[in-house]
Amino acid sequence: MDYQPPPFFSRGPAPLVRLGFFVSLAVLLMVLDARFRYAESIREVVALLAYPLQRVALAPGELLGATADFFTTQVALKQQNEQLKAKDLLAASDLLTLESLRAENAQLRHLLDARERVPRPSTLAEILYQGRDPFSRKVIIDKGSQQGVEPGQAVIDDVGVVGQVTRVYPFLAEVTLITDKEQRTPVEVVRNGLRAVIYGGGDKGTLDLSYTATNADVQADDLLVTSGIDATYPPGLPVCKVTKIERDPAYSFAKITCIPAAGTDQNRQVLVLAREADLPPPPVEAEPRAGGASKQKQRPRKRE
């Protein structure tokens, strides 16, 4: 009896024969498709049927890529946001510096104009800091005796009188503001030429026109300028403006309050004016004789 293997174990044609057959068939189909374009509709149908399978197969990779892009984008946006904040802070700082420099430049221009208006030579100085005494109104400037600054020189800004140099160091100088309680400034009223002396109000930042008679011709909003009678301040520099007047018949003097015209608590740049030639000394008064008034000589009496 012959033994034969079951049909499902039949090996069929040889693999090489199959390969040759399918290769030939593929070449034939490619030639026919290239010549007659008969397979385009078939490709479209196959591509349409295979598209859902392609999307499903590509979905995990696309999801992973989208997730990576999301986190990468978040990190990049965070870094970019921090960089923009840093640039914003730098730009704000530069803007503030620019505004400060612009204001300082404008102040210097005003000081140059004031230097041309004042007939005396002047030295440009900058206020460094305030005095250490909290009960006085003094500032320190960056010019001293090495730059020709001397005690008693007037200090002004582009508007009016700021103060007077009271102490000098080699490279620094102390300026007492006109609002200091110990500072006195000779002034006159522009409207009528009335001369007076203005006193500093101390911490109030105001000025007092003390020892002015109750009936003195002083009105509110009167402008007071330097009189120039002491040769310290040039005549005509604005000092203050009258803001309040209180007259009480019970008192001999009126209470007159003024506000400074200059920026005593503001600008950092000032002008130190040179002093004029010293005034001649006042005439010496004749001293009275020790025995008082000279006695008249007595005439001898005539004998009778």
Side-chain angles (χ1 to χ4, degrees):
M1 183 170 98
D2 295 334
Y3 177 77
Q4 294 181 355
F8 52 84
F9 286 109
S10 179
R11 301 179 66 180
L16 186 60
V17 175
R18 293 179 182 179
L19 178 62
F21 173 75
F22 286 111
V23 169
S24 301
L25 181 60
V27 171
L28 179 61
L29 292 175
M30 287 189 293
V31 172
L32 293 176
D33 182 52
R35 297 278 298 180
F36 302 105
R37 303 287 183 180
Y38 71 94
E40 289 184 0
S41 59
I42 298 175
R43 282 199 300 270
E44 292 177 359
V45 174
V46 172
L48 181 61
L49 295 176
Y51 179 76
L53 299 178
Q54 292 177 354
R55 298 302 303 171
V56 172
L58 294 175
E62 293 179 353
L63 180 61
L64 182 60
T67 304
D69 292 341
F70 173 78
F71 287 107
T72 303
T73 305
Q74 290 296 321
V75 173
L77 288 176
K78 186 176 181 180
Q79 294 177 352
Q80 186 178 4
N81 191 16
E82 292 177 355
Q83 293 176 358
L84 291 176
K85 286 182 178 180
K87 290 182 179 180
D88 190 16
L89 290 176
L90 291 176
S93 176
D94 294 340
L95 181 60
L96 292 177
T97 304
L98 178 62
E99 292 295 334
S100 176
L101 291 176
R102 184 179 298 173
E104 183 177 353
N105 188 22
Q107 174 65 15
L108 290 174
R109 288 179 180 273
H110 294 323
L111 283 178
L112 291 177
D113 295 338
R115 173 181 286 182
E116 295 179 357
R117 295 194 303 267
V118 176
R120 296 188 186 180
S122 59
T123 302
L124 181 64
E126 182 176 356
I127 298 176
L128 298 179
Y129 47 85
Q130 294 183 347
R132 296 181 179 179
D133 187 1
F135 301 101
S136 63
R137 307 282 292 178
K138 299 180 180 181
V139 294
I140 306 299
I141 60 176
D142 63 345
K143 296 294 187 296
S145 59
Q146 296 296 325
Q147 290 78 27
V149 178
E150 299 177 356
Q153 289 182 330
V155 179
I156 67 171
D157 64 2
D158 59 309
V159 179
V161 179
V162 173
Q164 185 178 10
V165 177
T166 52
R167 188 175 298 176
V168 177
Y169 304 96
F171 299 100
L172 300 173
E174 179 187 77
V175 177
T176 301
L177 304 179
I178 58 175
T179 54
D180 187 85
K181 291 186 295 185
E182 303 298 328
Q183 189 68 11
R184 309 288 184 265
T185 307
V187 296
E188 67 178 10
V189 181
V190 175
R191 182 172 53 83
N192 55 16
L194 178 66
R195 290 197 304 271
V197 177
I198 201 81
Y199 292 75
D203 295 337
K204 297 182 295 183
T206 58
L207 299 169
D208 297 327
L209 195 62
S210 303
Y211 305 109
T212 303
T214 307
N215 59 352
D217 186 11
V218 179
Q219 301 177 4
D221 294 332
D222 273 346
L223 178 63
L224 277 62
V225 298
T226 54
S227 60
I229 60 174
D230 59 349
T232 298
Y233 301 100
L237 294 178
V239 177
C240 58
K241 179 181 288 187
V242 177
T243 57
K244 185 178 180 182
I245 302 176
E246 297 180 6
R247 291 185 172 93
D248 191 345
Y251 297 95
S252 301
F253 303 107
K255 184 178 181 181
I256 303 176
T257 305
C258 309
I259 57 172
T264 54
D265 295 327
Q266 298 177 1
N267 303 317
R268 295 189 60 180
Q269 288 76 27
V270 294
L271 288 177
V272 182
L273 302 182
R275 301 185 65 176
E276 287 186 349
D278 295 335
L279 295 177
V284 179
E285 296 181 0
E287 296 181 358
R289 294 182 181 180
S294 59
K295 297 181 179 180
Q296 295 180 355
K297 294 181 180 181
Q298 296 181 356
R299 296 180 181 180
R301 294 180 180 179
K302 294 182 180 180
R303 295 181 182 180
E304 297 178 353

